[in-house]
Amino acid sequence: MASFELDSTLVLLCLVFVVSCFAVVVRGSGTGRKYGVRAVPPGPLALPIIGNLHKLGGAHPHRSLQGLARRHGPLFLLHLGSVPTVVVSSASLAEALLRTQDHVFCSRPQPYTARGTLYGCRDIAFSPYGEKWRQIRRIAVVHLLSMKRVDSFRALRVEEVARFVQRIGAASGRERVDVSELIIDLTNTVISKAAFGNKLGGMEPATVRDMMKELTVLLGTIAVSDVFPRLGWLDWAMGLDARVKRTAARLDTVVERTLAEHEGNRVKDGEACDLLDDLLSIYKDGDQGFKLDRTDVKALILDMFIAGTDTIYKTIEWTMAELVRNPREMAKVQYEVRLHAAASAQGVVLEEELEKMSLLHAAIKEALRLHPPVPLLIPRESIEDTRLHGYDILAKTRVMVNTWAIGRDSESWENAEEFLPERFIGQAMEYNGKDTRFIPFGAGRRGCPGIAFGTRLVELTLANMMYHFDWKLPNGQDIESFELIESSGLSPGLKSALILAVKPL
Ligand code: HEM
């Protein structure tokens, strides 16, 4: 789902400094004290005021949290400022939380930046659990992201992947091709055209792309008020409030203009419609007695962008990087793709053939196991008091599920750190989260509704990269020196762009 670019070191330093200057003691009145009389989950000692904020670690919170799980167990409690947060790091606890007690851990906290930019969290991903969330999620699942709707975008995918193949073809023979840039461009274009078609209200596609980038950066920023609810004024003093308002106003202008163009230019019979057209019909006619309002439409369409672009692009990029680092695996996948693929008139591998490519699917799953694009899922919040693993968890406790650590847990995976796609062959381990050893899309009622939309583009893109081209590291670089270093933030991609030498088949 969303990309979280979080410079947590800077945020933490500012927090520690500013908060200690004002010496406001908030822990005493926090939920931490309420935990005192109950079976409290274990966890590291909390410092005054900041609690365990410093334990999140600067660049890679999922790694720091894995380290803490090794010390404190698969379920432990942190105090992020004054907010109690439970962290879960094993498949069996994920099963208990996301499946058995899904009805308890089904809400989300509403971060400050999401409230400010997503119309008070009226989207799906940040919406609190309740009737409204149920209705908008149903609309997304039935109308926007269903298998039938995903199929209806086949022509769009084929056209854009054909353009992508041509662009790589034009660069082939060169020693250094920026593969990351080409993948980002492809995923942005597909999502933008699926959501808005070509009706961008007179805006350049690049403007829309920049706006969405700004939004994802902002959504990855932890506000002071998220961890110290009583110190909201610091968000204003530190300029975050102004930044959120500025971004929200610009986004709203963009979405309003595209909405107006869609309203003035309704689809005629037989014409392809985009997701905004779908939402506008529901806005006009209602759906099973439920009426969307204009703000719901805007929040929902933004959700498709934030949830879809970075996740898809990072999945393709990590799979490609792992295949390049493991040339034997790449050769096997390439052999399989070339054996089964038949190309369409545009020279693109046909989607119908993808089903036969089990090794390609296995390679994607293996990349998602090692590099889930949302390594801590989207935080959950409990809606009532409950017991988990023998501990009391109070209502409104935040929960993080470390899917990154679960994917690398040696209890569940042999040679867990190695890229071995064949481990998925013959395993009934799908993306739906039924087996909680593998949950890159989350699980349960808040699990990702965009699985089919996302995986179809990932598979088609990679099949074409394998079918048409041979790939290797540039300038004779050897495999041993090719390290896969993660970027910082809560949704890490590759730290540096993936630069490869490419040769057409
Ligand atoms: C490879 C691609 C993708 C990955 C890895 C991914 C991953 C995730 C994850 C981990 C969550 C949180 C699940 C949880 O809390 O249990 C999520 C939620 C969500 N995703 Fe995706 N996602 C992908 C693609 C998409 C696409 C293409 C869309 C829509 C266009 C989408 C829409 C959503 C929405 C709306 C939610 C929030 C669901 C809710 O809170 O009810 N995702 N996704």
Side-chain angles (χ1 to χ4, degrees), residues 1 98 108 124-126 133 137 145 191 303-304 307-308 311-312 315 368 373-374 377-378 380 439-443 445-451 453-454 458:
M1 147 78 226
L98 298 175
R108 307 257 196 225
I124 307 170
F126 292 100
W133 164 79
R137 179 164 167 127
L145 302 168
I191 297 279
D303 235 13
M304 299 297 113
T311 47
I312 296 178
T315 305
L368 279 167
V374 197
L377 303 185
I378 308 174
R380 303 279 184 112
I439 44 169
F441 293 91
R445 62 193 80 188
R446 296 302 297 236
C448 178
I451 297 176
F453 193 110
V458 170

Side-chain angles (χ1 to χ4, degrees), residues 52 61 91 98 134 143 148 208 215 255 258 279 308 380 410 461:
N52 306 109
L98 298 175
R134 223 189 314 270
H143 297 279
K148 195 167 152 223
V208 178
L215 174 61
V255 184
T258 49
L279 287 171
R380 303 279 184 112
S410 53
T461 306

Side-chain angles (χ1 to χ4, degrees), residues 214-268:
E214 199 177 325
L215 174 61
T216 39
V217 170
L218 213 50
L219 288 174
T221 306
I222 294 182
V224 176
S225 55
D226 291 334
V227 282
F228 300 104
R230 295 173 182 203
L231 299 183
W233 58 271
L234 278 175
D235 290 325
W236 173 81
M238 289 162 78
L240 185 64
D241 186 55
R243 209 173 129 207
V244 166
K245 285 190 175 132
R246 203 168 44 241
T247 305
R250 287 170 63 194
L251 270 174
D252 191 57
T253 311
V254 170
V255 184
E256 266 298 338
R257 277 165 70 174
T258 49
L259 205 56
E261 179 164 355
H262 280 71
E263 282 170 323
N265 206 348
R266 297 296 297 275
V267 273
K268 298 168 194 80

Side-chain angles (χ1 to χ4, degrees), residues 185 188-189 192-193 197-198 200 202-212 305:
D185 187 64
N188 268 294
T189 310
S192 169
K193 288 195 173 171
N198 287 320
L200 282 173
M203 237 129 5
E204 286 299 313
T207 314
V208 178
R209 179 176 156 174
D210 288 349
M211 294 295 321
M212 296 303 163
F305 264 95

Side-chain angles (χ1 to χ4, degrees), residues 144 149 153 192-199 262 267 271-280 301:
L144 312 182
R149 197 66 178 105
F153 286 123
S192 169
K193 288 195 173 171
F196 296 143
N198 287 320
K199 293 178 270 183
H262 280 71
V267 273
E271 233 178 23
C273 53
D274 53 54
L275 298 181
L276 197 48
D277 291 317
D278 291 350
L279 287 171
L280 274 176
I301 207 72

Side-chain angles (χ1 to χ4, degrees), residues 5 12-13 26 37 48 75 91 157 246 300 303 342 365 376 384 389 403 455:
E5 291 301 322
L12 285 182
L13 283 177
V26 288
V37 289
L75 184 150
R157 280 189 296 274
R246 203 168 44 241
L300 262 165
D303 235 13
K365 284 181 180 166
L376 297 173
E384 60 190 44
H389 201 49
T403 176
T455 51

